[in-house]
Amino acid sequence: MDALLERLRAGLPAGALITDPDITASYAHDMASFCDAGTPAVVVLPRTVEEVQHVMRTATALRIPVVPQGARTGLSGAANASDGCIVLSLVKMDRILEISPVDRIAVVEPGVVNATLSRAVGELGLYYPPDPSSWEMCTIGGNIGTASGGLCCVKYGVTAEYVLGLEVVLADGRLLSTGRRTAKGVAGYDLTRLFVGSEGSLGIVVKAVLALRPRPPQQLVLAAEFPSAAAACDAVCRIMERGHTPSLLELMDRTTVRAVNAMASMGLPESTEALLLCAFDTPDPAADLAAVGELCKASGATEVVPADDVAESELLLQARRSALPALETVKSATMIDDVCVPRSRLGAMIEGTAAIAEKFGLTIGVCAHAGDGNTHPVVCFDHTDPDESRRARASFDEIMALGLELGGTITGEHGVGVLKKEWLARELGEVGLELQRGIKAAFDPLGLLNPGKLF
Protein backbone atom coordinates (compact mmCIF):
# COMPACT_ATOMS: atom_id res chain seq x y z
CA MET A 1 0.00 0.00 0.00
CA ASP A 2 2.77 2.45 0.88
CA ALA A 3 4.61 1.69 -2.36
CA LEU A 4 1.41 2.18 -4.36
CA LEU A 5 0.64 5.55 -2.78
CA GLU A 6 4.24 6.71 -3.13
CA ARG A 7 4.30 5.91 -6.84
CA LEU A 8 0.91 7.46 -7.49
CA ARG A 9 1.79 10.69 -5.67
CA ALA A 10 4.93 11.04 -7.78
CA GLY A 11 2.84 11.78 -10.87
CA LEU A 12 -0.38 13.24 -9.48
CA PRO A 13 -1.27 16.65 -8.03
CA ALA A 14 -2.39 17.16 -4.47
CA GLY A 15 -6.06 16.30 -4.04
CA ALA A 16 -6.15 13.70 -6.81
CA LEU A 17 -5.85 10.83 -4.31
CA ILE A 18 -8.47 9.77 -1.79
CA THR A 19 -7.35 7.34 0.90
CA ASP A 20 -9.84 8.00 3.71
CA PRO A 21 -11.61 4.61 4.04
CA ASP A 22 -14.94 6.24 4.84
CA ILE A 23 -14.80 8.13 1.54
CA THR A 24 -13.30 5.38 -0.60
CA ALA A 25 -16.11 3.08 0.58
CA SER A 26 -18.61 5.39 -1.13
CA TYR A 27 -16.92 4.57 -4.45
CA ALA A 28 -17.26 0.82 -4.01
CA HIS A 29 -20.34 0.16 -6.13
CA ASP A 30 -22.87 1.42 -8.62
CA MET A 31 -26.68 1.25 -8.29
CA ALA A 32 -27.18 -2.48 -8.98
CA SER A 33 -28.59 -4.93 -6.45
CA PHE A 34 -27.12 -8.38 -5.71
CA CYS A 35 -23.65 -7.43 -6.95
CA ASP A 36 -20.60 -8.05 -4.79
CA ALA A 37 -18.23 -5.13 -4.29
CA GLY A 38 -14.76 -5.07 -2.78
CA THR A 39 -12.83 -2.47 -0.81
CA PRO A 40 -10.66 -0.17 -2.95
CA ALA A 41 -7.12 0.64 -1.82
CA VAL A 42 -7.35 4.17 -3.17
CA VAL A 43 -9.54 6.40 -5.33
CA VAL A 44 -7.84 8.53 -7.98
CA LEU A 45 -9.54 11.51 -9.64
CA PRO A 46 -7.36 12.52 -12.59
CA ARG A 47 -7.88 15.66 -14.65
CA THR A 48 -5.53 14.97 -17.57
CA VAL A 49 -4.66 12.19 -19.97
CA GLU A 50 -1.11 12.16 -18.61
CA GLU A 51 -2.41 11.52 -15.11
CA VAL A 52 -4.46 8.55 -16.33
CA GLN A 53 -1.36 7.20 -18.09
CA HIS A 54 0.63 7.54 -14.88
CA VAL A 55 -2.00 5.59 -12.96
CA MET A 56 -2.00 2.77 -15.51
CA ARG A 57 1.81 2.58 -15.64
CA THR A 58 1.86 2.38 -11.85
CA ALA A 59 -0.85 -0.28 -11.81
CA THR A 60 1.03 -2.35 -14.39
CA ALA A 61 4.33 -2.06 -12.53
CA LEU A 62 2.77 -3.17 -9.24
CA ARG A 63 0.16 -5.54 -10.72
CA ILE A 64 -2.72 -3.64 -9.10
CA PRO A 65 -6.22 -3.94 -10.64
CA VAL A 66 -7.92 -0.74 -11.84
CA VAL A 67 -11.69 -0.15 -11.89
CA PRO A 68 -12.75 2.79 -14.08
CA GLN A 69 -15.82 4.72 -12.97
CA GLY A 70 -18.10 7.47 -14.16
CA ALA A 71 -21.08 8.69 -12.16
CA ARG A 72 -21.85 5.15 -10.89
CA THR A 73 -25.46 5.29 -12.10
CA GLY A 74 -25.07 1.88 -13.77
CA LEU A 75 -27.38 -1.03 -13.00
CA SER A 76 -25.18 -4.09 -13.55
CA GLY A 77 -22.28 -3.74 -11.09
CA ALA A 78 -19.87 -2.87 -13.92
CA ALA A 79 -18.33 -0.09 -11.83
CA ASN A 80 -18.03 -2.11 -8.61
CA ALA A 81 -14.64 -2.11 -6.91
CA SER A 82 -12.55 -5.20 -6.29
CA ASP A 83 -10.52 -5.66 -3.10
CA GLY A 84 -7.30 -3.66 -3.11
CA CYS A 85 -7.97 -2.01 -6.46
CA ILE A 86 -7.37 1.50 -7.70
CA VAL A 87 -10.72 3.11 -8.41
CA LEU A 88 -10.12 5.49 -11.31
CA SER A 89 -12.96 8.00 -11.21
CA LEU A 90 -13.06 10.11 -14.38
CA VAL A 91 -15.67 12.63 -13.28
CA LYS A 92 -13.12 15.48 -13.03
CA MET A 93 -12.26 15.10 -16.73
CA ASP A 94 -15.41 17.00 -17.65
CA ARG A 95 -14.52 19.43 -20.42
CA ILE A 96 -16.34 19.84 -23.71
CA LEU A 97 -13.31 20.42 -25.90
CA GLU A 98 -14.99 21.26 -29.19
CA ILE A 99 -18.38 21.55 -30.87
CA SER A 100 -18.34 21.86 -34.66
CA PRO A 101 -21.65 22.72 -36.37
CA VAL A 102 -20.02 22.23 -39.78
CA ASP A 103 -18.59 18.76 -39.08
CA ARG A 104 -21.48 18.01 -36.71
CA ILE A 105 -19.24 16.59 -34.04
CA ALA A 106 -18.46 17.21 -30.40
CA VAL A 107 -15.14 16.30 -28.79
CA VAL A 108 -15.49 15.64 -25.07
CA GLU A 109 -13.74 14.21 -22.05
CA PRO A 110 -15.32 11.17 -20.37
CA GLY A 111 -16.63 13.00 -17.30
CA VAL A 112 -18.97 15.28 -19.24
CA VAL A 113 -22.55 14.74 -18.05
CA ASN A 114 -24.93 13.67 -20.80
CA ALA A 115 -27.45 16.46 -20.14
CA THR A 116 -24.67 19.08 -20.06
CA LEU A 117 -23.54 18.06 -23.53
CA SER A 118 -27.10 17.90 -24.84
CA ARG A 119 -27.83 21.43 -23.68
CA ALA A 120 -24.53 22.80 -24.98
CA VAL A 121 -25.04 21.44 -28.50
CA GLY A 122 -28.70 22.45 -28.42
CA GLU A 123 -27.69 26.09 -28.09
CA LEU A 124 -26.02 25.73 -31.51
CA GLY A 125 -29.02 24.10 -33.16
CA LEU A 126 -27.59 20.59 -32.80
CA TYR A 127 -28.73 17.41 -31.11
CA TYR A 128 -26.99 14.56 -29.29
CA PRO A 129 -29.70 11.88 -29.25
CA PRO A 130 -28.65 9.20 -26.69
CA ASP A 131 -30.65 10.02 -23.54
CA PRO A 132 -30.50 7.44 -20.74
CA SER A 133 -33.02 7.90 -17.96
CA SER A 134 -30.17 9.08 -15.73
CA TRP A 135 -29.05 11.69 -18.30
CA GLU A 136 -28.94 14.47 -15.70
CA MET A 137 -26.24 12.51 -13.81
CA CYS A 138 -24.61 9.92 -16.04
CA THR A 139 -21.41 10.68 -17.92
CA ILE A 140 -20.45 10.21 -21.54
CA GLY A 141 -17.63 7.88 -20.51
CA GLY A 142 -20.06 5.70 -18.61
CA ASN A 143 -22.50 5.78 -21.53
CA ILE A 144 -19.72 4.59 -23.83
CA GLY A 145 -18.61 1.91 -21.38
CA THR A 146 -22.06 0.35 -21.20
CA ALA A 147 -23.31 1.30 -24.70
CA SER A 148 -26.27 3.11 -23.15
CA GLY A 149 -29.62 3.68 -24.81
CA GLY A 150 -32.58 5.83 -23.83
CA LEU A 151 -36.10 6.89 -24.71
CA CYS A 152 -35.30 8.12 -28.23
CA CYS A 153 -33.53 4.99 -29.49
CA VAL A 154 -36.47 3.82 -31.59
CA LYS A 155 -35.71 6.61 -34.08
CA TYR A 156 -32.17 7.73 -33.35
CA GLY A 157 -30.32 4.66 -32.11
CA VAL A 158 -27.99 4.03 -29.17
CA THR A 159 -24.66 5.45 -28.01
CA ALA A 160 -22.60 3.16 -30.26
CA GLU A 161 -24.03 4.85 -33.34
CA TYR A 162 -22.71 8.26 -32.23
CA VAL A 163 -19.14 7.41 -31.22
CA LEU A 164 -16.90 8.19 -34.18
CA GLY A 165 -13.50 8.07 -32.51
CA LEU A 166 -11.81 7.61 -29.15
CA GLU A 167 -8.60 8.22 -27.31
CA VAL A 168 -7.96 5.33 -24.94
CA VAL A 169 -5.26 4.74 -22.34
CA LEU A 170 -4.32 1.08 -22.48
CA ALA A 171 -3.47 -1.11 -19.51
CA ASP A 172 0.28 -0.43 -19.87
CA GLY A 173 -0.21 3.34 -20.14
CA ARG A 174 0.10 3.71 -23.91
CA LEU A 175 -2.32 6.09 -25.63
CA LEU A 176 -4.37 4.65 -28.51
CA SER A 177 -6.37 6.73 -31.00
CA THR A 178 -9.21 4.98 -32.80
CA GLY A 179 -11.73 5.98 -35.40
CA ARG A 180 -12.11 9.35 -37.03
CA ARG A 181 -13.77 12.75 -37.01
CA THR A 182 -14.89 12.51 -40.64
CA ALA A 183 -18.37 11.63 -41.84
CA LYS A 184 -17.07 8.37 -43.33
CA GLY A 185 -14.10 6.10 -42.68
CA VAL A 186 -13.43 2.38 -42.98
CA ALA A 187 -9.68 2.11 -42.38
CA GLY A 188 -8.85 -1.15 -40.61
CA TYR A 189 -10.78 -3.00 -37.93
CA ASP A 190 -13.40 -0.94 -36.13
CA LEU A 191 -11.66 -0.69 -32.76
CA THR A 192 -13.91 2.20 -31.76
CA ARG A 193 -16.98 -0.03 -31.71
CA LEU A 194 -14.99 -2.64 -29.81
CA PHE A 195 -14.47 -0.24 -26.91
CA VAL A 196 -18.12 0.85 -26.84
CA GLY A 197 -19.83 -1.48 -24.39
CA SER A 198 -16.56 -3.00 -23.12
CA GLU A 199 -17.26 -1.73 -19.57
CA GLY A 200 -13.70 -0.49 -19.02
CA SER A 201 -12.25 -3.95 -19.51
CA LEU A 202 -10.09 -3.08 -22.54
CA GLY A 203 -8.88 0.45 -21.82
CA ILE A 204 -9.69 3.82 -20.26
CA VAL A 205 -11.57 6.21 -22.56
CA VAL A 206 -10.11 9.72 -22.08
CA LYS A 207 -11.58 11.51 -25.10
CA ALA A 208 -14.47 10.87 -27.48
CA VAL A 209 -15.47 12.26 -30.85
CA LEU A 210 -19.26 12.16 -31.01
CA ALA A 211 -21.58 12.57 -33.99
CA LEU A 212 -24.30 15.19 -33.75
CA ARG A 213 -27.51 15.76 -35.67
CA PRO A 214 -29.48 18.88 -36.48
CA ARG A 215 -31.89 19.69 -33.68
CA PRO A 216 -35.34 18.32 -34.60
CA PRO A 217 -38.63 20.14 -33.99
CA GLN A 218 -40.08 19.72 -30.53
CA GLN A 219 -42.05 16.52 -30.26
CA LEU A 220 -45.70 15.99 -29.50
CA VAL A 221 -46.88 12.96 -27.52
CA LEU A 222 -49.92 10.72 -27.65
CA ALA A 223 -51.12 8.56 -24.76
CA ALA A 224 -53.18 5.45 -25.45
CA GLU A 225 -54.88 3.33 -22.80
CA PHE A 226 -55.29 -0.42 -23.41
CA PRO A 227 -57.28 -3.17 -21.69
CA SER A 228 -54.29 -5.54 -21.87
CA ALA A 229 -50.55 -5.52 -22.44
CA ALA A 230 -51.12 -7.81 -25.43
CA ALA A 231 -53.34 -5.17 -27.08
CA ALA A 232 -50.72 -2.47 -26.49
CA CYS A 233 -48.00 -4.67 -27.97
CA ASP A 234 -50.20 -5.34 -30.98
CA ALA A 235 -50.42 -1.59 -31.48
CA VAL A 236 -46.63 -1.35 -31.34
CA CYS A 237 -46.36 -3.95 -34.09
CA ARG A 238 -48.94 -2.15 -36.23
CA ILE A 239 -47.16 1.18 -35.83
CA MET A 240 -43.80 -0.22 -36.88
CA GLU A 241 -45.25 -2.41 -39.65
CA ARG A 242 -46.93 0.61 -41.27
CA GLY A 243 -43.59 2.38 -41.55
CA HIS A 244 -44.03 5.08 -38.91
CA THR A 245 -40.89 6.49 -37.33
CA PRO A 246 -41.82 7.78 -33.88
CA SER A 247 -39.22 9.62 -31.86
CA LEU A 248 -40.42 7.71 -28.81
CA LEU A 249 -42.61 4.64 -28.26
CA GLU A 250 -42.85 3.68 -24.60
CA LEU A 251 -45.01 1.27 -22.62
CA MET A 252 -45.95 1.17 -18.94
CA ASP A 253 -47.87 -1.73 -17.42
CA ARG A 254 -50.59 -1.46 -14.80
CA THR A 255 -48.20 -1.89 -11.86
CA THR A 256 -45.99 0.91 -13.14
CA VAL A 257 -48.87 3.29 -13.83
CA ARG A 258 -50.22 2.83 -10.30
CA ALA A 259 -46.78 3.31 -8.77
CA VAL A 260 -46.30 6.57 -10.68
CA ASN A 261 -49.70 7.84 -9.55
CA ALA A 262 -48.98 6.91 -5.94
CA MET A 263 -45.66 8.73 -5.96
CA ALA A 264 -46.41 11.79 -8.08
CA SER A 265 -50.23 12.09 -8.24
CA MET A 266 -50.04 12.53 -12.01
CA GLY A 267 -53.63 11.50 -12.68
CA LEU A 268 -52.81 8.63 -15.02
CA PRO A 269 -55.74 6.28 -15.67
CA GLU A 270 -55.48 3.56 -13.04
CA SER A 271 -58.06 1.48 -14.86
CA THR A 272 -55.54 0.81 -17.63
CA GLU A 273 -53.72 -2.47 -18.04
CA ALA A 274 -51.11 -0.85 -20.28
CA LEU A 275 -50.33 2.74 -21.23
CA LEU A 276 -48.55 3.44 -24.53
CA LEU A 277 -46.81 6.75 -25.18
CA CYS A 278 -45.92 7.63 -28.76
CA ALA A 279 -44.16 10.81 -29.90
CA PHE A 280 -43.19 12.40 -33.21
CA ASP A 281 -40.73 15.22 -33.86
CA THR A 282 -41.66 15.53 -37.53
CA PRO A 283 -42.72 18.77 -39.28
CA ASP A 284 -46.39 17.79 -38.81
CA PRO A 285 -46.51 15.70 -35.62
CA ALA A 286 -50.27 16.15 -35.17
CA ALA A 287 -50.97 14.29 -38.42
CA ASP A 288 -48.58 11.48 -37.46
CA LEU A 289 -50.20 11.17 -34.03
CA ALA A 290 -53.65 11.03 -35.62
CA ALA A 291 -52.56 8.14 -37.84
CA VAL A 292 -51.04 6.28 -34.91
CA GLY A 293 -54.13 6.96 -32.84
CA GLU A 294 -56.25 5.11 -35.39
CA LEU A 295 -53.86 2.15 -35.26
CA CYS A 296 -54.12 2.10 -31.47
CA LYS A 297 -57.91 2.07 -31.67
CA ALA A 298 -57.75 -0.79 -34.17
CA SER A 299 -55.69 -2.72 -31.60
CA GLY A 300 -58.31 -2.17 -28.92
CA ALA A 301 -57.28 1.06 -27.21
CA THR A 302 -60.05 2.31 -24.95
CA GLU A 303 -58.77 5.88 -24.85
CA VAL A 304 -56.43 7.80 -27.16
CA VAL A 305 -55.35 11.28 -26.09
CA PRO A 306 -52.95 13.30 -28.25
CA ALA A 307 -51.22 16.19 -26.50
CA ASP A 308 -52.21 19.65 -27.72
CA ASP A 309 -48.85 21.28 -27.10
CA VAL A 310 -45.27 20.81 -25.92
CA ALA A 311 -46.13 21.47 -22.27
CA GLU A 312 -48.75 18.71 -22.20
CA SER A 313 -46.34 16.40 -24.01
CA GLU A 314 -43.67 17.04 -21.42
CA LEU A 315 -46.11 16.17 -18.63
CA LEU A 316 -46.75 12.78 -20.24
CA LEU A 317 -43.03 12.16 -20.68
CA GLN A 318 -42.44 13.04 -17.05
CA ALA A 319 -44.74 10.18 -16.11
CA ARG A 320 -42.54 7.79 -18.09
CA ARG A 321 -39.33 9.21 -16.61
CA SER A 322 -40.84 8.72 -13.14
CA ALA A 323 -41.45 5.01 -13.70
CA LEU A 324 -38.27 3.64 -12.13
CA PRO A 325 -38.22 6.03 -9.14
CA ALA A 326 -41.88 5.20 -8.54
CA LEU A 327 -41.33 1.45 -8.58
CA GLU A 328 -38.46 1.94 -6.12
CA THR A 329 -41.04 3.18 -3.57
CA VAL A 330 -43.09 -0.03 -3.76
CA LYS A 331 -40.63 -2.03 -1.65
CA SER A 332 -37.30 -1.41 0.07
CA ALA A 333 -35.24 -2.67 -2.90
CA THR A 334 -35.49 -3.30 -6.63
CA MET A 335 -33.74 -5.36 -9.29
CA ILE A 336 -34.03 -3.74 -12.70
CA ASP A 337 -33.79 -6.16 -15.59
CA ASP A 338 -32.92 -5.12 -19.14
CA VAL A 339 -34.07 -7.78 -21.57
CA CYS A 340 -34.51 -6.92 -25.24
CA VAL A 341 -36.57 -9.10 -27.56
CA PRO A 342 -37.72 -8.82 -31.19
CA ARG A 343 -40.66 -6.39 -31.37
CA SER A 344 -42.87 -9.23 -32.59
CA ARG A 345 -42.27 -11.07 -29.29
CA LEU A 346 -42.81 -8.08 -27.00
CA GLY A 347 -46.28 -9.20 -25.95
CA ALA A 348 -45.01 -12.67 -25.04
CA MET A 349 -42.22 -11.11 -23.01
CA ILE A 350 -44.57 -8.94 -20.96
CA GLU A 351 -47.14 -11.69 -20.44
CA GLY A 352 -44.38 -14.11 -19.46
CA THR A 353 -43.02 -11.63 -16.94
CA ALA A 354 -46.48 -11.31 -15.37
CA ALA A 355 -46.61 -15.10 -15.03
CA ILE A 356 -43.19 -15.08 -13.35
CA ALA A 357 -44.38 -12.42 -10.89
CA GLU A 358 -47.37 -14.58 -9.99
CA LYS A 359 -45.21 -17.70 -9.68
CA PHE A 360 -42.88 -16.09 -7.14
CA GLY A 361 -45.50 -13.98 -5.36
CA LEU A 362 -43.73 -10.72 -6.18
CA THR A 363 -44.58 -7.30 -7.53
CA ILE A 364 -42.85 -6.84 -10.88
CA GLY A 365 -43.59 -3.69 -12.83
CA VAL A 366 -42.64 -3.40 -16.50
CA CYS A 367 -41.74 -0.26 -18.37
CA ALA A 368 -40.36 -0.65 -21.85
CA HIS A 369 -38.79 1.09 -24.79
CA ALA A 370 -41.50 -0.67 -26.74
CA GLY A 371 -40.35 0.47 -30.17
CA ASP A 372 -37.06 -1.35 -29.58
CA GLY A 373 -38.50 -4.39 -27.81
CA ASN A 374 -36.34 -3.37 -24.82
CA THR A 375 -38.17 -4.25 -21.59
CA HIS A 376 -37.26 -3.20 -18.07
CA PRO A 377 -38.99 -5.58 -15.65
CA VAL A 378 -38.47 -4.14 -12.16
CA VAL A 379 -38.59 -6.72 -9.37
CA CYS A 380 -39.71 -5.05 -6.13
CA PHE A 381 -38.79 -6.83 -2.89
CA ASP A 382 -38.00 -6.45 0.80
CA HIS A 383 -34.22 -6.76 1.10
CA THR A 384 -34.53 -7.53 4.83
CA ASP A 385 -36.57 -10.66 4.09
CA PRO A 386 -34.18 -13.49 3.08
CA ASP A 387 -36.88 -15.57 1.42
CA GLU A 388 -38.26 -12.65 -0.56
CA SER A 389 -34.74 -11.68 -1.62
CA ARG A 390 -34.14 -15.24 -2.80
CA ARG A 391 -37.36 -15.22 -4.79
CA ALA A 392 -36.45 -11.85 -6.30
CA ARG A 393 -33.13 -13.17 -7.57
CA ALA A 394 -34.76 -16.33 -8.91
CA SER A 395 -37.44 -14.33 -10.74
CA PHE A 396 -34.76 -12.06 -12.23
CA ASP A 397 -33.00 -15.10 -13.68
CA GLU A 398 -36.23 -16.54 -15.07
CA ILE A 399 -36.95 -13.24 -16.81
CA MET A 400 -33.55 -13.39 -18.52
CA ALA A 401 -34.14 -17.01 -19.51
CA LEU A 402 -37.50 -16.02 -20.98
CA GLY A 403 -35.83 -13.28 -23.02
CA LEU A 404 -33.35 -15.71 -24.52
CA GLU A 405 -36.11 -18.22 -25.28
CA LEU A 406 -37.93 -15.50 -27.23
CA GLY A 407 -34.88 -14.80 -29.38
CA GLY A 408 -33.70 -11.81 -27.37
CA THR A 409 -30.65 -10.68 -25.44
CA ILE A 410 -29.91 -10.38 -21.72
CA THR A 411 -29.10 -6.68 -21.97
CA GLY A 412 -30.23 -3.99 -24.38
CA GLU A 413 -28.50 -1.03 -22.74
CA HIS A 414 -27.43 -1.60 -19.12
CA GLY A 415 -24.46 -3.90 -19.74
CA VAL A 416 -23.31 -7.13 -18.14
CA GLY A 417 -21.05 -6.14 -15.25
CA VAL A 418 -21.19 -8.57 -12.35
CA LEU A 419 -24.93 -9.13 -12.42
CA LYS A 420 -25.20 -11.00 -15.72
CA LYS A 421 -21.83 -12.73 -16.13
CA GLU A 422 -23.32 -16.21 -16.05
CA TRP A 423 -25.98 -15.22 -18.55
CA LEU A 424 -23.51 -13.63 -20.95
CA ALA A 425 -21.75 -16.99 -21.22
CA ARG A 426 -25.07 -18.64 -22.04
CA GLU A 427 -25.91 -16.09 -24.70
CA LEU A 428 -22.48 -16.07 -26.39
CA GLY A 429 -21.85 -19.80 -26.38
CA GLU A 430 -18.47 -21.48 -26.02
CA VAL A 431 -16.92 -20.21 -29.26
CA GLY A 432 -18.09 -16.64 -28.73
CA LEU A 433 -16.87 -16.61 -25.15
CA GLU A 434 -13.46 -17.98 -26.15
CA LEU A 435 -12.97 -15.28 -28.78
CA GLN A 436 -14.06 -12.49 -26.45
CA ARG A 437 -11.64 -13.68 -23.78
CA GLY A 438 -8.92 -13.67 -26.43
CA ILE A 439 -9.68 -10.04 -27.27
CA LYS A 440 -9.51 -9.15 -23.59
CA ALA A 441 -6.10 -10.84 -23.29
CA ALA A 442 -4.76 -8.95 -26.32
CA PHE A 443 -5.59 -5.57 -24.80
CA ASP A 444 -5.04 -6.41 -21.14
CA PRO A 445 -2.68 -9.41 -20.85
CA LEU A 446 -2.27 -9.01 -17.08
CA GLY A 447 -6.01 -8.83 -16.48
CA LEU A 448 -5.79 -5.56 -14.53
CA LEU A 449 -8.66 -3.62 -16.10
CA ASN A 450 -11.99 -4.04 -14.30
CA PRO A 451 -11.37 -7.68 -13.33
CA GLY A 452 -14.35 -9.93 -12.67
CA LYS A 453 -16.69 -8.10 -15.03
CA LEU A 454 -18.33 -9.50 -18.19
CA PHE A 455 -16.70 -12.98 -17.95
Side-chain angles (χ1 to χ4, degrees):
M1 178 70 167
D2 290 341
L4 171 62
L5 295 179
E6 182 179 350
R7 288 208 187 198
L8 288 174
R9 288 191 179 109
L12 296 171
L17 290 178
I18 299 175
T19 57
D20 184 327
D22 291 333
I23 300 177
T24 58
S26 68
Y27 286 82
H29 57 83
D30 63 16
M31 298 178 69
S33 301
F34 291 107
C35 292
D36 293 335
T39 302
V42 61
V43 174
V44 182
L45 294 102
R47 292 181 181 272
T48 69
V49 174
E50 292 75 20
E51 290 171 12
V52 175
Q53 289 180 284
H54 172 69
V55 171
M56 293 314 306
R57 290 180 184 126
T58 299
T60 294
L62 299 178
R63 306 298 197 262
I64 304 293
V66 176
V67 176
Q69 288 185 350
R72 289 178 286 114
T73 56
L75 294 166
S76 68
N80 284 15
S82 53
D83 284 332
C85 75
I86 300 169
V87 163
L88 188 60
S89 174
L90 300 159
V91 294
K92 299 293 186 181
M93 297 181 69
D94 60 356
R95 294 180 299 161
I96 299 175
L97 302 172
E98 178 187 353
I99 299 174
S100 172
V102 174
D103 294 325
R104 292 185 183 171
I105 61 169
V107 183
V108 304
E109 293 182 327
V112 172
V113 171
N114 184 294
T116 300
L117 174 64
S118 296
R119 293 183 180 117
V121 302
E123 292 175 1
L124 299 175
L126 297 168
Y127 179 42
Y128 180 67
D131 61 343
S133 296
S134 58
W135 77 304
E136 293 281 7
M137 299 178 288
C138 64
T139 63
I140 296 298
N143 294 168
I144 292 171
T146 56
S148 299
L151 301 185
C152 71
C153 294
V154 62
K155 180 174 183 177
Y156 293 104
V158 296
T159 295
E161 295 169 63
Y162 294 88
V163 183
L164 298 178
L166 296 170
E167 286 192 5
V168 182
V169 175
L170 300 176
D172 59 9
R174 289 178 296 165
L175 184 63
L176 169 69
S177 293
T178 77
R180 64 193 195 277
R181 51 182 292 148
T182 55
K184 297 190 295 184
V186 293
Y189 295 133
D190 191 349
L191 295 182
T192 302
R193 278 289 186 115
L194 187 60
F195 282 103
V196 179
S198 66
E199 303 185 17
S201 65
L202 301 179
I204 313 295
V205 172
V206 291
K207 186 186 294 185
V209 180
L210 305 174
L212 304 175
R213 289 177 174 244
R215 184 175 59 200
Q218 289 190 296
Q219 62 186 0
L220 288 183
V221 179
L222 170 147
E225 180 182 353
F226 290 87
S228 70
C233 293
D234 181 69
V236 170
C237 292
R238 289 174 185 250
I239 291 166
M240 302 309 292
E241 184 181 30
R242 296 294 178 87
H244 292 288
T245 309
S247 55
L248 173 149
L249 190 55
E250 298 287 307
L251 184 148
M252 300 160 63
D253 73 349
R254 174 182 61 183
T255 299
T256 305
V257 168
R258 292 180 177 178
V260 169
N261 273 345
M263 182 186 78
S265 301
M266 300 196 72
L268 297 175
E270 294 208 1
S271 60
T272 186
E273 292 295 316
L275 186 68
L276 192 66
L277 301 178
C278 182
F280 285 90
D281 58 6
T282 52
D284 187 8
D288 290 311
L289 290 182
V292 164
E294 291 304 313
L295 293 176
C296 289
K297 291 175 184 176
S299 293
T302 55
E303 191 76 29
V304 176
V305 182
D308 293 325
D309 53 33
V310 172
E312 189 176 351
S313 294
E314 185 54 38
L315 185 63
L316 289 171
L317 292 183
Q318 187 56 44
R320 171 60 183 89
R321 293 191 185 105
S322 299
L324 294 181
L327 288 167
E328 287 171 352
T329 68
V330 173
K331 290 273 189 170
S332 64
T334 57
M335 289 190 73
I336 304 172
D337 218 324
D338 170 39
V339 174
C340 192
V341 297
R343 294 186 192 100
S344 57
R345 309 307 303 276
L346 181 62
M349 182 69 207
I350 293 177
E351 289 181 345
T353 299
I356 291 169
E358 184 176 356
K359 172 183 175 180
F360 288 98
L362 294 167
T363 298
I364 302 179
V366 179
C367 50
H369 308 310
D372 302 325
N374 193 175
T375 67
H376 292 307
V378 181
V379 183
C380 307
F381 65 100
D382 181 357
H383 74 283
T384 65
D385 182 333
D387 181 65
E388 193 162 309
S389 296
R390 178 194 59 77
R391 286 185 279 125
R393 181 66 213 226
S395 70
F396 185 88
D397 286 343
E398 288 209 8
I399 289 168
M400 284 192 286
L402 173 64
L404 291 180
E405 289 169 10
L406 294 174
T409 176
I410 60 168
T411 175
E413 57 187 8
H414 291 172
V416 176
V418 176
L419 189 61
K420 298 186 176 183
K421 285 171 56 177
E422 175 192 347
W423 287 96
L424 178 65
R426 296 191 193 188
E427 180 170 334
L428 292 179
E430 291 184 12
V431 175
L433 192 61
E434 179 184 346
L435 289 172
Q436 296 221 7
R437 285 175 170 159
I439 292 169
K440 165 71 170 172
F443 281 88
D444 180 23
L446 299 177
L448 300 179
L449 285 168
N450 216 9
K453 310 308 188 326
L454 291 170
F455 38 75

